[in-house]
Amino acid sequence: MRQTTKGRILAGHGANTLLRTPIIAPVPAGPGDLRCDQPTAALPAAALEGTIGALEQGQTHYVDVPGILPLREAIAAGLGADYRADAVVVTASVQEARFLTLQVLGQDSGPLALPSVVHPGVRKALGVRPLVHRWLEVGDSARLLPSVAAVGAALASGVKCIFLESPSRLTGAVYDAAEVEHLSRLVMEHSALVVWDQGLSQWTASGASLEALGAGAERVTLIGEVFPGVGLEGLAIGFIATSGAYAASLASVKQIVAICTSTASQYAALGVDESYAARRDEIERELRERRSRLLEWLESIGAQVLEGGAANLVAVRRTDAVSAALQERGLAAAEGTAFGAPDVLRLAVAGEVLQ
Amino acid sequence: MTQERRGTEVFYDLIVQAQGYDDAIVLGRGDPDFDTPAHIIAAAEEAMEHRLGEPSPPEGILPLREAIAERVERVNDAVFDPETEIVFTNGGQEALFLMVVAAIAEGDRLLVPEPNYNTYKDSVAFARGGIVGMPTYPQEAFRVDPERVRRTLISGVRALLLVSPNNPAASVISREDQQELIAIAQEHDLLILADDIYDLLVYDDFSHTSPAALRGGKERTLTLNALSKSYAMTGWRTGWVTGPADLMVRVRDLKAAISGPNSIVSQYAALAALTGPQEEMHAMQGAYQRRRRIVLDHLDAMGFSYGVPQGGQFVFVDVSHTGMSSIELSQRMLDEAHVLAYPGGAFYEGMDDFLRITFLQPEDRLRDGLGRMQRVMEALGVGE
Ligand SMILES: Cc1ncc(COP(=O)(O)O)c(C=O)c1O
């Protein structure tokens, strides 16, 4: 019998393993939930007041598709001279930023290559519409980042758009300065485009991040959460910072997908801006202390910790002993399987659970 | 309209131009002039203080989905399970995108009664599908004639779009026609994409019917709705999709892939809108009724014909006697009178004789705007 329209859609969906990738919630379900990407805290009072003030004054209408200008300016200001407010697109979560960059830039500038170990949201976004892509192997490096050589080989074979995470969303590991340099050279040489998820960069000791890439906004599009860690997690707000060459097509698809981002979320983010640097430093210190206690505990249970530099998470090899110890304490870790690394578990450094 | 310029771009271009005039009267964009009612903002404040740490699944928190189920049953007479058949979205727009991407794969076609809201074309293009446009006619009050739908069906059409009240033509699909359209969908194995965003805004003796409420409708229909237009909440991004549980699994996965859960603050604001006092919403409905009358009286006095708006927040006005294309005329209105009205030609090529005028301004400004339009017409030698 011929398949019905609905039957065909459901069969296609069932076969779409990318789109069915399990996701990670932005806010923990409880104190033992160590699965989230970002730490979170109480929103600063000034941000709350500013937001309510804006809403009461009538900021309850559609706003510009790429976001309210002062917020775009604040985001651009945190990214260095090459990124300009008029090429920032505010998104309704980092996930929307992944979706837009992969589906727009990966389509227009492709073919696209991505790390075989990558945030589950990336696989998920890739599953929305078929896109020519290939995976960059991470080899057996304990960082679980694709090697610069792998990136070079992909570019040499005709790949035009590379998606990278540094810090890695799974291990927190980053490329070092020499690698970033090398990546930069490769990208220029091949006139390629990089989409760089740097959402966890707030939690690494200042070091090599891709803003340092000489390639600049023309070649490197940045995405991430807006001002992570200070209470915006439940407000679902992310960004894309790109060059004039891509801003219009990204904003055009943003319009098709959602018209604009919620004004409450945008004003809350704007309200966080001023106090962010100081608050971020405080939180990072606290995370580092907690992380070292977490590491001690992990050592005491014989866990093998992966290399990583981000203060907000620890990745470990999955063993029966680790799983049992987590279960005994009522802790839930993010499953490496959804990242493409089934033998890894990721623990967020958060809450008071380990004190 | 030039083929290469998307209708949406034409509108945004006009919006930007209008922003350049201090005295502009915007009768273009579908953004209510009313601000969001205060009790909804109070709920947002409460959520920002106490609920930012509350987790939400991609489809939205359960109390909100329950409130949506209750609303849809009460208003639309259709029953959905809040656990499995409702996904909360970033406005009607994301709901629209999800419905289209869920139903239309590469090479599939969506049958679209024209004129229609442009994002349907844009979303179908994203999905690499195609549109089969089916004109509706002013002399038939822009009715979506089931017989014409039947004749328009060609191979590859997988779904039928039903926006009622329609944007921009402001026509409402009758219950009988909806039932007949469902029968056609059954015969031809089509899904139905229903857009109920203007369901609370119907006039005179017209009434809104949701295809999902009718016999045979629910299992093949995805329906969107949103609080944007009826509760003056365009900036909050609050909408939803309802549909049968099997298809909603796909819609939920797509929602998680495209943006993940909505802001918890918008979710609590939406919950307050749905479950809190309804007086302000009713007062806005009343205002739209009065304004619609004002616009129609003015248009009558100016000698215009138009599709009598059966629903929505706009009038689709015939401007053929000006001898100008709608895009030229709308540009002229903006340049000379600083009044923004959307050109019909940017909705659909066949509607280049029409302007869409919204009544989303206070009555005095509405009168002022219409007066200015009249002066432009007189200068063109086509006024009364
Ligand atoms: C028919 C129709 N559907 C959906 C939308 C999307 O509205 P929103 O995303 O603001 O809820 C609109 C907006 O104008 C519309 O006219």
Side-chain angles (χ1 to χ4, degrees), chain A residues 62 259, chain B residues 91-93 96 117 163 167 195 197-198 226 228-229 237:
Chain A
Y62 293 125
I259 300 183
Chain B
Q93 192 87 340
L96 183 170
Y117 182 53
V163 183
N167 174 10
D195 185 332
I197 197 165
Y198 297 106
S228 316
K229 314 288 180 181
R237 315 313 301 132

Side-chain angles (χ1 to χ4, degrees), chain B residues 26-189:
Chain B
V26 176
L27 309 178
R29 191 170 207 182
D31 187 358
D33 54 311
F34 297 105
D35 294 335
T36 302
H39 75 274
I40 297 174
I41 295 177
E45 181 169 9
E46 208 274 336
M48 285 188 82
E49 277 179 39
H50 303 296
R51 299 190 186 269
L52 281 184
E54 198 175 303
S56 165
E59 65 271 31
I61 55 173
L62 186 58
L64 174 56
R65 284 179 281 132
E66 286 167 345
I68 292 169
E70 191 280 323
R71 184 273 189 209
V72 171
E73 183 165 2
R74 181 169 36 81
V75 178
N76 306 110
D77 201 21
V79 179
F80 291 96
D81 180 350
E83 298 274 359
T84 55
E85 298 186 321
I86 297 174
V87 169
F88 190 67
T89 59
N90 283 306
Q93 192 87 340
E94 191 182 45
L96 183 170
F97 189 77
L98 291 171
M99 295 200 312
V100 167
V101 175
I104 301 293
E106 184 159 356
D108 291 348
R109 288 166 160 156
L110 176 67
L111 193 145
V112 176
E114 300 279 15
N116 225 309
Y117 182 53
N118 280 311
T119 305
Y120 285 100
K121 295 184 192 78
D122 298 341
S123 297
V124 168
F126 175 92
R128 305 188 186 115
I131 295 279
V132 176
M134 183 200 80
T136 62
Y137 298 97
Q139 59 274 26
E140 297 173 5
F142 298 103
R143 173 178 178 222
V144 179
D145 179 357
E147 272 321 304
R148 193 171 290 120
V149 168
R150 212 185 282 280
R151 287 199 303 273
T152 308
L153 282 173
I154 55 168
S155 85
V157 174
R158 304 280 181 188
L160 168 62
L161 175 66
L162 299 175
V163 183
S164 172
N166 168 280
N167 174 10
S171 53
V172 168
I173 304 176
S174 71
R175 190 180 182 89
E176 297 67 43
D177 282 351
Q178 291 278 24
Q179 193 65 70
E180 187 55 30
L181 290 162
I182 291 170
I184 293 171
Q186 286 173 319
E187 279 162 40
H188 295 269
D189 187 24

Side-chain angles (χ1 to χ4, degrees), chain A residues 5-6 8 61 93 107 129, chain B residues 35 108 126 128 189 219:
Chain A
T5 296
K6 194 197 258 193
R8 200 183 53 117
H61 298 265
S93 73
Q107 149 97 15
R129 172 176 74 163
Chain B
D35 294 335
D108 291 348
F126 175 92
R128 305 188 186 115
D189 187 24
E219 69 258 27

Side-chain angles (χ1 to χ4, degrees), chain A residues 97-109:
Chain A
R98 287 190 185 104
F99 164 73
L100 290 172
T101 50
L102 288 164
Q103 287 289 350
V104 177
L105 303 180
Q107 149 97 15
D108 297 350
S109 323

